[in-house]
Amino acid sequence: MSKSNKLSFYIVVAIFSLAAGFAYKSWHMDNAMSLTSSEKKAGADNFFAASLPDIDGTLQSAAQWQGKIVVVNFWATWCLPCRDEIPELIETYTAYRDQGVVIVGVAIDDMEKVAAFSEEFGINYPVLVGDIEAFSLAEAMGNPQGALPYTATIDRSGTIVHTRLGRIKKSQIEAIIKPML
């Protein structure tokens, strides 16, 4: 085998290996909800017990969203996958807010950066800002890694029904919330 053929072969194997790794990781993250029933309820209870400031600095109680379908999205302005998913979160909120669905962004970032980012992107859903307490909240809701973005969906009865570590798409959110509408 010539040097160029060997190199081509190694490149193809490397690309295939990367693709397989990403596919496995994506499948595993989509299907890995390791919370027990009591942890699902406790995670949602922790969310509804929390109060965090919004981008104006006004303390907001998450209890105001009890009884709704709540999509809680943990993110940061410096997180590229977070930035990629925000336009779809905006579209989803626009499409479903009149049906009792609320998306709550929990930014783990500096308040000024989050406010500027929210204005620039036209975020139309509630955005709360937290630091260490937001990481603790994400952990209580099933994200012990503290990785971003992380999304947890809570049903109307106050139980986490789905979690996702990594970028989420509108179609994925719709698949979760439509049966609950």
Side-chain angles (χ1 to χ4, degrees), residues 29-56:
M29 285 182 176
D30 275 344
N31 295 296
M33 181 150 172
S34 59
L35 298 176
T36 65
S37 295
S38 61
E39 289 170 331
K40 291 175 186 180
K41 183 69 174 148
D45 288 347
N46 279 322
F47 172 73
F48 291 125
S51 292
L52 293 168
D54 62 19
I55 58 176
D56 296 321

Side-chain angles (χ1 to χ4, degrees), residues 7 16 21 35-36 39 42 49 67 83 86 92 108 123 147 151-152 154 165 177:
L7 181 60
F16 177 76
L35 298 176
T36 65
E39 289 170 331
R83 296 171 72 97
I86 286 178
T92 305
I108 302 174
I123 295 178
T151 306
I154 303 170
L165 180 59
I177 66 172

Side-chain angles (χ1 to χ4, degrees), residues 3-181:
K3 258 189 173 177
S4 63
N5 284 347
K6 282 183 183 179
L7 181 60
S8 295
F9 174 77
Y10 290 134
I11 289 172
V12 169
V13 169
I15 290 171
F16 177 76
S17 297
L18 284 171
F22 281 121
Y24 174 78
K25 184 177 177 185
S26 175
W27 177 85
H28 182 69
M29 285 182 176
D30 275 344
N31 295 296
M33 181 150 172
S34 59
L35 298 176
T36 65
S37 295
S38 61
E39 289 170 331
K40 291 175 186 180
K41 183 69 174 148
D45 288 347
N46 279 322
F47 172 73
F48 291 125
S51 292
L52 293 168
D54 62 19
I55 58 176
D56 296 321
T58 304
L59 200 60
Q60 297 290 328
S61 171
Q64 66 185 296
W65 299 300
Q66 281 183 304
K68 296 183 180 241
I69 298 167
V70 186
V71 179
V72 185
N73 178 254
F74 293 88
W75 66 284
T77 61
W78 45 262
C79 166
L80 293 179
C82 302
R83 296 171 72 97
D84 287 344
E85 71 186 358
I86 286 178
E88 291 190 63
L89 292 170
I90 292 168
E91 288 176 27
T92 305
Y93 185 61
T94 300
Y96 295 97
R97 67 178 159 208
D98 292 337
Q99 297 177 52
V101 176
V102 64
I103 293 176
V104 179
V106 180
I108 302 174
D109 211 326
D110 176 70
M111 189 173 298
E112 290 178 12
K113 289 179 184 175
V114 174
F117 182 92
S118 296
E119 185 176 328
E120 176 187 341
F121 275 71
I123 295 178
N124 60 349
Y125 51 85
V127 175
L128 307 178
V129 183
D131 47 28
I132 298 302
E133 68 229 34
F135 272 120
S136 297
L137 184 57
E139 183 177 351
M141 296 179 76
N143 183 11
Q145 301 88 354
L148 298 175
Y150 179 73
T151 306
T153 304
I154 303 170
D155 67 13
R156 293 180 197 274
S157 68
T159 301
I160 295 173
V161 294
H162 187 271
T163 62
R164 173 155 176 88
L165 180 59
R167 187 191 188 292
I168 195 163
K169 296 181 179 189
K170 181 181 179 191
S171 61
Q172 293 168 313
I173 297 170
E174 288 176 330
I176 300 161
I177 66 172
K178 280 185 176 181
M180 295 186 283
L181 294 176

